[in-house]
Amino acid sequence: MSTPPTTDGALLLRALRHLTPTLPLLTEIGRRFDDAGHELALVGGPVRDAFLGRSSPDLDLTTSARPEQIEAVLAGWADSTWDVGREFGTIGARRGPDTLEITTYRADAYEPDSRKPVVAFGDNLEDDLVRRDFTVNAMALRLPEMVFVDPYDGLADLAAGRLRTPTTPEISFGDDPLRMMRAARFAAQLGLVPAPEVLAAMEGMASRLSIVSAERVRDELVKLLLADDPRAGLEIMVDTGLADEVLPELPALRLEVDEHHRHKDVYEHSLTVLQQAIDLEDGPAGRPDQADEDRVPGPDLVLRLAALLHDIGKPATRRFEPGGGVSFHHHELVGARMARTRLRALRFDKETVKAVSRLVELHLRFHGYGDGEWTDAAVRRYVTDAGPLLGRLHRLTRSDSTTRNRRKAARLAAAYDDLERRIERLRAEEELRAVRPDLDGHQIGQVLGIPPGPVLGQAYQHLLAVRLDQGPLGEEAARAELLRWWAEQPESADVPEPEDG
């Protein structure tokens, strides 16, 4: 986070300059509400971000008007309106390119064992602001006059890079336990450091996250992971116990390190891998020498999740070997299953679950490449198994090297450089991106005289394996190989003889 100027006046001028493109809109809608006898203020994230010189995608406003009164004021002015959440007092609107969310002053709180907040509408701005999550989000600009309202010193906290709550943290987090995760997210996103009393409340109330829906927890975790510095937020989650409730596999990586330091700190290693993977994400244009399908524009959620979770199978597979060694045999397979289970519990979509677990499963595949020459068949299988995840697998594998031994690090990097060069050579020679047998399923069926089904599928897989091992055969050679394979299959009365030459 860039530190803003130190004076309130300079900060306010900076914020107003940043809001200049929307000031006519804000003034206009402020006058409409004022003429109708209602208060209106720009509040929360857009105000905070204006002071930081950041852009907010939406304009969040709060008002004394009730939802039906909001709709009446917007009628004939907004291009469209919709119910974002009428039960929570929120009406959405669009005017030209701008999107607004207008919410009635409110105070909401969770019942002790409820997943949903109980909503009560309020009647003044100050009472609304005190129920906001953090002081930096409890600043407002009254419209249309642009009067800055900051009853809880959010501006001073923003300038100091400090995260506090308007009321006591216990009350704030009791109102909505997800705010504890939001504190970690703001550390990752904005560089704000939670105050000691905030951290203490998070530690004492971490178990309250259990009443929050998995979908809301997932969405907050995603925002954290896609931030500029997710490590800062993840460390807060682990240190306060939030991760024990949300992502227990992460703190479980803090394996005790024996006196001889026979293995790395897996937790620290995983956070380093995450940061290194982020550093390898591409900008919009990618690299000039890079194939389009291998680009990974950042921030990339799948890559970041895979980097964070790639070693979560280690605690379950750790073995102390004779002679003092430590092994984690098959931790990539165990980790893939664990990643799949955790991401499903957090209600991630099927494609994300599948992609992340596959990357965890494949992250060790490269090991051994530098020790012995891989055949072209092995390279083809590496690419085929990775499929559309190859670009992410490249970055995950490179990021997994956290050794301080410069010579070893250089050797691993050079080996992977060599593998990527071979992949590109084979791609150019064989269009490796779409490796298929030289005969398609219809042709196989014609040659063998069999209908679609499991037998035809076995024949297809055989020709695919031959294609991966030997490269392109051509149709005639593939037909001969198919017939050779067919002749070796056990006889079956239900399978017809293949057609003659």
Side-chain angles (χ1 to χ4, degrees):
M1 182 188 75
S2 56
T3 303
T6 55
T7 67
D8 289 0
L11 277 168
L12 185 56
L13 286 174
R14 171 178 177 164
L16 291 175
R17 280 197 300 268
H18 193 75
L19 290 170
T20 295
T22 58
L23 284 181
L25 176 84
L26 294 173
T27 301
E28 185 178 351
I29 192 173
R31 285 176 179 156
R32 288 184 69 91
F33 274 78
D34 188 51
D35 290 344
H38 307 301
E39 297 178 2
L40 184 70
L42 183 70
V43 71
V47 178
R48 178 202 68 220
D49 288 345
F51 284 118
L52 294 174
R54 294 164 51 99
S55 297
S56 290
D58 299 326
L59 297 172
D60 295 329
L61 300 112
T62 187
T63 179
S64 59
R66 297 303 190 255
E68 63 278 4
Q69 295 172 319
I70 296 172
E71 289 177 318
V73 174
L74 294 175
W77 178 84
D79 298 331
S80 61
T81 62
W82 58 91
D83 286 350
V84 174
R86 179 179 294 273
E87 68 273 26
F88 298 110
T90 302
I91 302 296
R94 183 171 291 109
R95 167 90 167 180
D98 296 302
T99 300
L100 307 90
E101 288 193 0
I102 307 174
T103 303
T104 303
Y105 293 153
R106 70 185 188 192
D108 52 28
Y110 279 85
E111 295 294 344
D113 299 315
S114 173
R115 289 175 177 264
K116 295 183 178 180
V118 177
V119 177
F121 293 146
D123 55 14
N124 69 83
L125 177 59
E126 285 71 18
D127 286 350
D128 179 88
L129 295 178
V130 77
R131 304 309 293 265
R132 301 273 163 172
D133 52 4
F134 301 104
T135 61
V136 296
N137 290 333
M139 302 182 290
L141 282 175
R142 287 189 182 273
L143 304 176
E145 62 269 37
M146 296 294 172
V147 173
F148 180 51
V149 181
D150 182 20
Y152 306 106
D153 294 326
L155 191 57
D157 287 339
L158 192 63
R162 180 174 56 233
L163 199 62
R164 293 188 306 113
T165 54
T167 184
T168 67
E170 290 77 12
I171 291 177
S172 181
F173 299 155
D175 282 351
D176 184 354
L178 191 66
R179 290 173 174 176
M180 294 184 284
M181 281 192 68
R182 204 170 298 151
R185 191 241 297 180
F186 285 152
Q189 202 172 55
L190 303 175
L192 299 175
V193 179
E197 68 273 14
V198 172
L199 290 172
M202 292 167 67
E203 186 173 352
M205 301 178 67
S207 62
R208 286 277 290 165
L209 272 177
S210 62
I211 73 168
V212 181
S213 70
E215 290 81 2
R216 293 186 71 215
V217 168
R218 174 204 62 208
D219 290 347
E220 198 60 51
L221 179 62
V222 168
K223 291 175 184 177
L224 187 158
L225 288 173
L226 295 181
D228 291 340
D229 183 20
R231 176 171 185 149
L234 292 168
E235 287 178 334
I236 288 173
M237 286 186 62
V238 170
D239 292 343
T240 59
L242 294 181
D244 292 318
E245 305 295 327
V246 174
L247 199 64
E249 295 80 4
L250 183 59
L253 293 176
R254 294 183 296 183
L255 301 174
E256 65 274 13
V257 179
D258 59 273
E259 60 180 343
H260 301 294
H261 295 274
R262 290 176 293 190
H263 61 84
K264 296 178 182 177
D265 183 329
V266 185
Y267 168 68
E268 288 293 330
H269 166 76
S270 297
L271 293 180
T272 301
V273 171
L274 171 61
Q275 185 56 58
Q276 293 184 166
I278 291 171
D279 293 340
L280 291 177
E281 290 174 339
D282 297 317
R287 300 193 313 265
D289 61 337
Q290 188 178 46
D292 288 345
E293 63 269 33
D294 289 345
R295 290 177 181 167
V296 182
D300 187 86
L301 179 63
V302 168
L303 175 62
R304 295 184 182 202
L305 279 169
L308 183 64
L309 303 178
H310 76 285
D311 273 348
I312 59 172
K314 280 192 170 180
T317 58
R318 184 174 60 159
R319 299 290 182 272
F320 292 99
E321 305 292 349
V326 179
S327 67
F328 304 95
H329 294 309
H330 305 303
H331 77 268
E332 72 281 11
L333 301 179
V334 173
R337 290 195 295 270
M338 293 173 64
R340 190 177 302 114
T341 299
R342 176 54 52 196
L343 296 179
R344 285 174 176 168
L346 288 170
R347 303 293 193 271
F348 278 89
D349 62 276
K350 291 181 180 179
E351 288 304 311
T352 298
V353 174
K354 180 179 178 181
V356 173
S357 58
R358 183 62 167 159
L359 284 170
V360 172
E361 180 182 347
L362 293 175
H363 84 272
L364 287 184
R365 184 69 64 86
F366 167 73
H367 286 214
Y369 178 83
D371 299 331
E373 183 66 24
W374 277 15
T375 64
D376 283 352
V379 176
R380 291 188 191 99
R381 289 185 186 279
Y382 187 79
V383 174
T384 301
D385 289 347
L389 299 173
L390 182 61
R392 294 183 175 103
L393 183 59
H394 286 334
R395 286 155 183 78
L396 177 59
T397 303
R398 288 183 180 276
S399 301
D400 198 21
S401 173
T402 60
T403 178
R404 296 180 181 178
N405 185 319
R406 294 183 179 179
R407 185 174 299 176
K408 182 179 179 181
R411 186 168 64 249
L412 288 170
Y416 207 87
D417 288 343
D418 183 67
L419 175 58
E420 288 201 58
R421 283 192 295 268
R422 290 184 65 188
I423 289 172
E424 290 308 310
R425 174 176 60 79
L426 288 172
R427 239 182 207 157
E429 292 174 357
E430 305 175 15
E431 297 183 357
L432 191 56
R433 290 167 295 177
V435 173
R436 287 177 173 79
D438 296 271
L439 301 177
D440 62 24
H442 178 70
Q443 291 170 309
I444 292 171
Q446 284 187 325
V447 170
L448 300 182
I450 59 175
V455 177
L456 191 148
Q458 293 171 17
Y460 183 93
Q461 289 300 318
H462 172 72
L463 284 186
L464 177 60
V466 173
R467 170 71 174 79
L468 290 170
D469 287 338
Q470 301 180 25
L473 300 179
E475 288 190 13
E476 288 303 315
R479 186 178 184 280
E481 171 58 28
L482 178 63
L483 292 172
R484 184 201 64 75
W485 172 83
W486 183 257
E488 294 179 353
Q489 302 311 300
E491 292 185 4
S492 172
D494 297 329
V495 178
E497 293 293 327
E499 65 178 22
D500 292 333

